[in-house]
Amino acid sequence: MSFLKSAQALKPLFDRVLVQRLKPATQTVSGIYIPEKNQEKLNQATVIAAGPGVIGPNGDTIPTSVQAGDKVLLPSFGGSPVKIGEDEYLLYSDKEILAKIEN
Amino acid sequence: MSFLKSAQALKPLFDRVLVQRLKPATQTVSGIYIPEKNQEKLNQATVIAAGPGVIGPNGDTIPTSVQAGDKVLLPSFGGSPVKIGEDEYLLYSDKEILAKIEN
Amino acid sequence: MSFLKSAQALKPLFDRVLVQRLKPATQTVSGIYIPEKNQEKLNQATVIAAGPGVIGPNGDTIPTSVQAGDKVLLPSFGGSPVKIGEDEYLLYSDKEILAKIEN
Amino acid sequence: MSFLKSAQALKPLFDRVLVQRLKPATQTVSGIYIPEKNQEKLNQATVIAAGPGVIGPNGDTIPTSVQAGDKVLLPSFGGSPVKIGEDEYLLYSDKEILAKIEN
Amino acid sequence: MSFLKSAQALKPLFDRVLVQRLKPATQTVSGIYIPEKNQEKLNQATVIAAGPGVIGPNGDTIPTSVQAGDKVLLPSFGGSPVKIGEDEYLLYSDKEILAKIEN
Amino acid sequence: MSFLKSAQALKPLFDRVLVQRLKPATQTVSGIYIPEKNQEKLNQATVIAAGPGVIGPNGDTIPTSVQAGDKVLLPSFGGSPVKIGEDEYLLYSDKEILAKIEN
Amino acid sequence: MSFLKSAQALKPLFDRVLVQRLKPATQTVSGIYIPEKNQEKLNQATVIAAGPGVIGPNGDTIPTSVQAGDKVLLPSFGGSPVKIGEDEYLLYSDKEILAKIEN
């Protein structure tokens, strides 16, 4: 009843980027459980898939600036939610992604 | 009294894409019927026809990125509804389609 | 008292397209007359005349994508009404026409 | 006390077009006088003067698509009114003129 | 206490045009004085100075289309007022000037 | 506690222009003091520093049209105030500056 | 539970610039402590990291105009706050940065 079996089946178009937001901490560093309403929503995410890019002003394709596996910083608004099974994903335009996070 | 005999007769212009939305599940996996008001509208669709594309910044045609038969993820808003007989279709701009769904 | 004797005298400029909307059915398939307020307005139209096109990004003219005689699907809003004698016509921009209808 | 002695003195700039709207019929075809408040405003006009055109995307001038003497169809809104003596004229951008009317 | 000694000292930048509006008639043609509140504001003006122009789409300067001494027709809104001593001037963008008035 | 020791330390980016507004007259020409609330805010300013310019449509830098020391006419709105010590400065985009004032 | 260990791990994309705002003075010059609500928010900041730039109109990358270590003047609005540990940072587009502050 759904074409979508897994996030891997999603191939973003243009410069869209499919990300999965980092889950908020459910315990404090000292091991105390944090109730769900107090868990802080994080703007950090892992890129699951990235589109091929968009056509630039001189007709060439501008490749997307992030790729699958990259850790990224999300803006605090925007993104189109996509639900696959029980998991929540988000689609952003490449231009909306604020920064890569390198280790 | 109508020029439109079938969806096959519709040839979208520019980068427009004619899609048919996936019908929502009418039974649960265990076979219980879901009343219509509880059926979840799906953002998944099959491409019926796609336009030839639009003129890009350097004068060349940018071909539409999806084609008839593709499974796609629709945005949660937008699209122009087209009724043919009893069937509902939607026209989107290629740029509005979020992702292809591959199997 | 009017320059406009017939629709044939109208030569749309740029990418404008003059269309005549398909008249709604006035009888059911079984021959019963439908009162005017119940007649469904159709978004199908015949192209009467099309402009030469607009100048594209590299200076060339992009020809209009439909021509006189084409059957087309109109968007559900927009268009400038033009009355010639007792007949109603509509002017659309080429880009607003959703699709051609082929037989 | 006015620089403007006649419509002929006005030289529209860029793609502006100076038009004079067709006067509404003041009698019915059978010769009965129509009171002014019942006279229908017509969207037909005669071009009095047209500007030289605007600079297009590749730096060339795109000439105005109508010229003095052309009969044209006006949109139902817009235009800058210009009064010269007792006569009313209108200035439109070339792109706003809907169509030429040929005989 | 002011850098501005005369209108001649003002050198408009880009495609800006400094104009002085034609003063409204203060007497009727038969010599009767018109009270100030009945004097009709005129949209006619004399160009005092014009800027060098703006950079066009291909990198060349598009020269301003009017020059000092030209009589012009102003739009009925817009323009930045500039007061020099007791005189009122207006700055318009070249593109806002409707037409030249030739004698 | 501040990086900003003097206006000379500010190097505007792109086509931004740092100006200092002409102080309003505090005495009449005959030597009578004007109370502060009656002093007229002047739209005249001296350019303190100007940015290098912006990238134009063909990839070249369009140099800023004013330079340090120029007297200019400001628009009656806009500008970002910058306070350095007790002095007030304003940052405008080059395109917002109305005119140069030459002596 | 966070990908973000330090500001150094953040690599801004496109023309985004990561800055740290100058901390407001907590004492007067004569050594008196200023209560937090009276401390003046400063629009001066140090650039921590800058993105590679954006694609310009002719397809080349326009490099970001500031780099790590630069002192800059921020606009009084805008910027996306990023919290790393206890420190607050801000992401601006390069075009939003008003000026460099040189010593």
Side-chain angles (χ1 to χ4, degrees), chain E residues 13 15-19 22 24 28-30 34 38 45 48-49 58-59 78-79 81 83 86-87 89-90 99 101:
Chain E
L13 293 171
D15 67 345
R16 288 199 190 88
V17 177
L18 182 74
V19 302
L22 192 67
T28 63
V29 282
S30 50
I34 305 171
N38 290 358
I48 305 300
N58 63 352
K83 203 168 182 181
E86 290 307 297
D87 290 324
Y89 296 85
L90 289 157
I101 303 170

Side-chain angles (χ1 to χ4, degrees), chain G residues 67-84:
Chain G
Q67 48 181 293
D70 281 353
K71 312 282 185 255
V72 294
L73 188 70
L74 301 177
S76 46
F77 52 86
S80 302
V82 183
K83 204 169 182 180
I84 304 173

